[in-house]
């Protein structure tokens, strides 16, 4: 049982009843072809966990295991590779100097490492800004990718600001996975890159006999870029085939939940959390319309919730850090405690439902993970 279920305090929760009717256009089809052509590409596993289906009284539960994606322990390489490919191709088409550029970004760990890896592979430089609270081993992993690292004394939002300033230098390009007014094209390409993950889920569910697709998808949220990709994928199909979509955040950094509650994008003051990759205070500007329109529900969980979920996933054979395990923690919080029946109804869950949890990182991606050895 989660802390939320055993506590008398209200669960941090938001639900929108008409989200499954909201629709948008699909991601570009060429993204999957680009990833499939990479030498180290392979679909990540979709692992069925019958014990969770029994626990939640649903038909089937699957976990999309992103603990090894393009040689890195998190999903972020999908977005970074596509965005960097598009950025360099555009520079070449526009007649930019042919010499190397420095790819600049801010990160809580996984995105920065992915940018650094792709930069080194393509003969480019990388400069990564890291906020306070990121574990030294995560910083060391970025340095090992041949990147220059600047550690910032402030929050993730402050690291993003400093990265944007550094990227104003000649032969530097900002490759950031959050957007704001005036900086939206490259973050949009990053979101497009994540669409490959969703396309794989479709194929893997069909191979497992789930031809109608999932009934619910739970996604961890930082600034909302992955959630935007998930919303785009599932809200670009006929509304009768649309699953419920649940976002999960740390209570210490629940900017999307707070924005949904207020019905406008807001910034929140974040606190330290073991879910370092989700420790973001402001939703991405391009993600917000999709999150507002297409998310059925949002929930926030504690570090203790995610730690227990990571331990349970490890026992079931899935390597998951605190950010990846957040979706299991969020589902448990939603389906237990006071108001659980109403939340189950809001999510449209029944005894035949198929649930997909996105586990976005393995234990190697997050040194805070209780199962990291």
């Amino acid at each position: 049982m989660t802390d939320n279920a055993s506590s008398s305090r209200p669960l941090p929760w938001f639900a929108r009843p008409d989200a499954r009717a909201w629709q948008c256009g699909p991601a570009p089809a060429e993204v999957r072809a680009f990833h499939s052509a990479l030498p180290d590409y392979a679909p990540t596993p979709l692992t069925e966990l019958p014990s969770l289906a029994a626990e939640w009284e649903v038909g089937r539960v699957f976990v999309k295991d992103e603990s090894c994606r393009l040689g890195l322990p998190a999903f972020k390489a999908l977005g970074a590779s596509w965005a960097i490919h598009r950025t360099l191709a555009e520079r070449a088409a526009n007649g930019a100097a042919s010499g190397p550029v420095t790819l600049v970004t801010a990160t809580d760990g996984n995105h920065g490492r992915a940018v650094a890896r792709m930069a080194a592979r393509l003969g480019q430089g990388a400069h990564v800004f890291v906020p306070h609270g990121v574990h030294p081993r995560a910083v060391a992993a970025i340095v090992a990718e041949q990147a220059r690292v600047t550690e910032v004394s402030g929050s993730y939002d402050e690291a993003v600001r400093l990265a944007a300033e550094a990227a104003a230098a000649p032969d530097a390009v900002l490759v950031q996975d959050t957007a704001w007014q005036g900086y939206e094209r490259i973050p949009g390409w990053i979101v497009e890159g994540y669409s490959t993950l969703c396309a794989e889920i479709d194929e893997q569910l069909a191979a497992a006999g789930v031809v109608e697709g999932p009934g619910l998808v739970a996604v961890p949220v930082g600034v909302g870029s992955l959630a935007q990709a998930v919303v785009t994928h599932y809200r670009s199909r006929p509304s009768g085939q649309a699953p419920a979509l649940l976002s999960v955040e740390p209570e210490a950094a629940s900017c999307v939940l707070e924005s949904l509650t207020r019905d406008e994008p807001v910034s929140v003051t974040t606190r330290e959390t073991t879910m370092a990759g989700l420790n973001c205070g402001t939703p991405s500007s391009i993600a917000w319309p999709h999150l507002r329109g297409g998310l059925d529900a949002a929930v926030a969980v504690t570090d203790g919730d995610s730690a227990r979920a990571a331990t349970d996933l490890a026992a079931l054979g899935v390597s998951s850090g605190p950010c990846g395990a957040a979706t299991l923690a969020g589902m448990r919080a939603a389906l237990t405690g006071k108001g659980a029946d109403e939340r189950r109804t809001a999510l449209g869950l029944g005894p035949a439902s198929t649930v997909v949890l996105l586990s976005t990182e393995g234990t190697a991606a997050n040194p805070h993970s209780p199962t990291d050895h």
Side-chain angles (χ1 to χ4, degrees):
M1 183 174 291
T2 68
D3 289 343
N4 288 321
S6 60
S7 172
S8 59
R9 65 188 177 87
L11 178 70
W13 169 263
F14 173 88
R16 186 185 301 281
D18 56 350
R20 266 159 275 186
W22 191 84
Q23 291 190 294
C24 63
E30 61 264 29
V31 179
R32 179 67 185 285
F34 165 78
H35 285 135
S36 297
L38 295 177
D40 49 357
Y41 169 78
T44 55
L46 186 71
T47 302
E48 185 165 11
L49 300 178
S51 63
L52 292 182
E55 177 183 334
W56 297 337
E57 299 179 349
V58 297
R60 303 176 78 176
V61 174
F62 296 84
V63 175
K64 183 64 168 167
D65 179 359
E66 292 291 308
S67 60
C68 185
R69 171 65 80 174
L70 295 173
L72 292 174
F75 77 104
K76 292 285 190 174
L78 289 173
S81 60
W82 175 247
I84 291 169
H85 165 74
R86 291 295 308 270
T87 298
L88 297 179
E90 183 177 86
R91 285 177 61 84
N94 290 339
S98 59
V101 299
T102 298
L103 305 175
V104 184
T105 195
T107 188
D108 283 313
N110 293 328
H111 171 70
R113 187 177 178 187
V115 169
R117 171 70 63 89
M118 298 303 162
R121 175 179 292 183
L122 297 171
Q124 312 297 321
H127 186 183
V128 180
F129 288 75
V130 177
H132 174 73
V134 173
H135 198 283
R137 289 197 326 223
V139 176
I142 299 171
V143 172
E145 303 290 350
Q146 306 175 45
R148 173 188 172 193
V149 174
T150 296
E151 298 187 56
V152 176
S153 60
S155 68
Y156 171 80
D157 287 9
E158 175 68 4
V160 170
R161 184 184 68 80
L162 293 173
E165 290 179 359
D171 295 322
V173 178
L174 185 66
V175 184
Q176 196 58 57
D177 56 349
T178 187
W180 53 87
Q181 187 172 3
Y183 181 73
E184 295 177 329
R185 184 163 51 172
I186 290 176
W189 288 337
I190 289 173
V191 171
E192 289 177 358
Y194 298 153
S195 65
T196 291
L197 184 157
C198 299
E200 290 175 1
I201 291 173
D202 285 348
E203 296 164 1
Q204 291 167 321
L205 284 178
V210 187
V211 293
E212 71 278 10
L216 182 145
V217 179
V219 55
V221 171
V223 299
S225 296
L226 176 60
Q228 179 187 352
V230 171
V231 169
T232 298
H233 183 79
Y234 290 108
R235 298 300 183 240
S236 59
R237 56 184 57 184
S239 58
Q241 302 173 19
L245 303 177
L246 170 69
S247 71
V248 186
E249 296 169 280
E251 289 192 8
S254 54
C255 63
V256 170
L257 175 61
E258 184 67 20
S259 297
L260 291 170
T261 300
R262 298 193 190 185
D263 201 29
E264 62 178 351
V266 298
S267 297
V268 301
T269 300
T270 63
R271 307 185 305 277
E272 287 195 22
T273 171
T274 56
M275 291 172 274
L278 308 181
N279 193 4
C280 307
T282 305
S284 171
S285 66
I286 60 171
W288 168 245
H290 292 73
L291 306 182
R292 182 187 181 277
L295 285 176
D296 292 81
V299 67
V301 297
T302 68
D303 284 359
D305 293 335
S306 72
R308 280 187 294 276
T311 298
D312 291 346
L313 285 172
L316 295 170
V318 177
S319 169
S320 186
C323 295
T327 50
L328 171 53
M331 282 294 295
R332 281 180 168 163
L335 299 180
T336 56
K338 184 177 180 181
D341 289 344
E342 291 83 354
R343 293 189 292 269
R344 178 181 289 269
T345 298
L347 296 172
L349 289 179
S353 297
T354 295
V355 174
V356 174
L357 309 178
L358 304 189
S359 177
T360 49
E361 63 173 12
T363 55
N366 193 319
H368 290 292
S369 172
T371 56
D372 185 28
H373 298 294

